[in-house]
Amino acid sequence: MATAQDTLQNLARNYALAWSSGNPDYVASFFAPGGQITICRSAPLVGQAAVAEVAKGFFTEFPDLDMSCDTMRKAGDHALFAWTLQGTHAETANQVTIRGWEEWEMDAELRIRSAHIWFDPDDHQRQIEGR
């Protein structure tokens, strides 16, 4: 029988694999049907279709996107997923490495009800431009 820690580590690994898969629907499957995603204080985007569109945008921008989990923590129905994203920008061909984290509220089935995603957008843009 899997421990709570095993379940959490499997969730983190599978979520990172989803982001590395190039499949927006796979990413969206980690969200509850009414789940929402907010990126760096943007307006929330609601629903699995909206999450899939966000993922599709990242996959278009970085066709070789690779995400790894740096750490995962959970307390009650809240979790923190810290990650590193690496990829080659589709237009500039510059290599980009971004570190960030996601603050999640989760449901009883460990699906994401809301995700607040944080990274440094200025550093992201600087790397895209090769500065």
Side-chain angles (χ1 to χ4, degrees), residues 17-30 51-52 55-56 59 63:
L17 287 171
W19 274 102
S20 300
S21 73
N23 181 342
D25 293 328
Y26 186 23
V27 174
S29 74
F30 285 82
V51 172
K56 183 179 176 183
F59 295 147

Side-chain angles (χ1 to χ4, degrees), residues 27-105:
V27 174
S29 74
F30 285 82
F31 285 76
Q36 64 181 8
I37 191 168
T38 303
I39 302 173
C40 297
R41 300 184 204 268
S42 68
L45 301 168
V46 180
Q48 289 176 325
V51 172
E53 281 301 309
V54 168
K56 183 179 176 183
F58 275 94
F59 295 147
T60 299
E61 190 173 16
F62 300 101
D64 63 345
L65 186 146
D66 181 57
M67 178 181 277
S68 60
C69 176
D70 300 332
T71 192
M72 179 82 172
R73 301 280 186 265
K74 183 175 179 295
D77 64 351
H78 297 275
L80 174 84
F81 175 80
W83 48 263
T84 300
L85 177 151
Q86 297 179 320
T88 307
H89 191 262
E91 291 182 22
T92 66
N94 290 326
Q95 292 290 340
V96 175
T97 300
I98 300 295
R99 288 175 179 77
W101 67 91
E102 302 184 20
E103 300 167 13
W104 296 345
E105 289 184 31

